Structure formats: structure tokens, C-alpha cells
Amino acid sequence: MKFRLIFLAALSLSLGSFASDGSAEEIRNIKQAMYRSIESSYVTDSLYADLKSRVPQNALLIGYLGTLEALKAKHAWNPYNKIKYVALAQKTLKRAIKKDPSNMEIRFMRFSVQHYTPAFLGFSKDLDEDRGVIAKQYRNRKFGQADQELVKNIASFMISSKRCAQDELALFKKYV
């Protein structure tokens, strides 16, 4: 318990340095925390509380907030809370996409959330649209704030998702 409190305090201090403006450094710090949040509900909760309290206006930060809501669903044990957070994540990601419709990274966040959400819940309606936008951005080499590692990881995920057409697969394979 004591370790957990120390860990959360240290995480809060490191997250407290975010400028909430979408600067390159802030995005890098959030991405690093996001990777840890996939496996840790404590990191997810802390990063979510910090980012939500800042009321982000930047589309990419709103996208991260939506992804964190989806991760809260992943970590929740109660089925009602899982569905509630997935629905909230979908609304938040839709808002981020409305602010920046061609942002490959935001489209990928929504694509990956919907890919892992059971289709019978009705939250997987944008997969084709997002896949198309992501492929278009790869064709045009417009990666936004995504670094080379993220570009490679997105391409790998798109290939492994088994949701791409042959021409899209060939395109993504160029980046792996």
C-alpha cells in the first residue's frame, strides 16, 4: 500500500508538469504514461484524472483522454462500468476527430478501441472510415506528431488487425 501511494505521488508530480497545450514534450510524456496505463489501472486513473482536470482543447489531447476512458473500461471489473466507459470513450474520440478529422493518431486511437470492443455492443461502426483515413495519411506521408516508432507500430497493428484490403496491407508493410 505504501509503495502504491509513493508511486502515485511520483506519477502525479511527473504529470503535473504538463502544459496542457499539446506541446511536443507534453505529448511525449503522455505517450510514455499511456504505454504504462495499458497494463496498470493505477497509471490509467492517475493520468485520466490529471488530463481531465485540465479540460484539454487540443484535439490530440482530447483523443488521449478518450483512449484513457477506454482503458478505464478495460481495467473495470463491473460490466456496467465497462460499457459506460466505452460509450464515454466513443463520444470523446468523436469530439477529438471532429476537431481534427485528418489526424492519423486520433483515428488510430479510435480504430484500436473499436477493434477490441465486441461488435455486438454497437461501438465498432467507424472501423472502415478510420482505416481509410489512416491509409490515406500513410499514402500522403502525413503523420502529424507521430514519431517513427509510432508510425511503425500503427502500421504493424493495422496489418495484424486483419481488417485491411490488400492494397492497404502492401502500404503498411512498407513501414514495418
Side-chain angles (χ1 to χ4, degrees):
M1 180 70 171
K2 189 175 183 180
F3 171 76
R4 189 178 306 160
L5 291 174
I6 292 170
F7 174 76
L8 289 175
L11 181 63
S12 294
L13 289 174
S14 70
L15 295 177
S17 65
F18 292 158
S20 161
D21 61 356
S23 68
E25 182 179 352
E26 178 186 21
I27 297 296
R28 185 177 42 79
N29 290 338
I30 291 173
K31 282 180 188 179
Q32 290 172 353
M34 290 286 289
Y35 288 124
R36 293 190 310 267
S37 69
I38 293 169
E39 298 303 324
S40 170
S41 63
Y42 301 111
V43 176
T44 298
D45 291 343
S46 181
L47 183 56
Y48 177 74
D50 184 65
L51 200 54
K52 187 170 175 74
S53 72
R54 296 170 188 278
V55 191
Q57 298 302 312
N58 175 290
L60 189 56
L61 295 179
I62 294 169
Y64 286 131
L65 185 64
T67 302
L68 286 164
E69 290 163 349
L71 287 171
K72 286 181 75 62
K74 176 188 182 235
H75 296 306
W77 61 269
N78 181 319
Y80 172 78
N81 287 337
K82 284 183 176 290
I83 292 171
K84 179 180 84 171
Y85 279 118
V86 170
L88 185 58
Q90 293 302 314
K91 287 179 185 175
T92 304
L93 287 165
K94 184 176 184 174
R95 188 171 47 129
I97 289 170
K98 188 174 182 180
K99 283 183 87 77
D100 191 355
S102 61
N103 187 302
M104 179 197 68
E105 195 169 351
I106 298 170
R107 292 290 187 148
F108 174 70
M109 286 185 253
R110 185 169 74 176
F111 181 89
S112 61
V113 167
Q114 290 187 2
H115 172 75
Y116 286 117
T117 302
F120 72 86
L121 293 175
F123 293 119
S124 301
K125 297 176 182 172
D126 303 301
L127 287 164
D128 291 336
E129 177 187 335
D130 291 341
R131 186 191 75 234
V133 171
I134 293 166
K136 179 180 178 184
Q137 299 305 70
Y138 270 78
R139 277 187 211 97
N140 297 334
R141 298 178 179 260
K142 294 194 177 202
F143 304 122
Q145 291 181 307
D147 58 25
Q148 280 187 313
E149 182 180 1
L150 182 58
V151 169
K152 180 181 175 183
N153 290 341
I154 290 172
S156 294
F157 185 90
M158 297 304 290
I159 293 166
S160 68
S161 75
K162 301 196 184 311
R163 295 183 184 269
C164 297
Q166 290 299 329
D167 63 323
E168 294 167 335
L169 286 173
L171 174 66
F172 293 129
K173 286 179 181 178
K174 293 177 186 177
Y175 292 90
V176 180

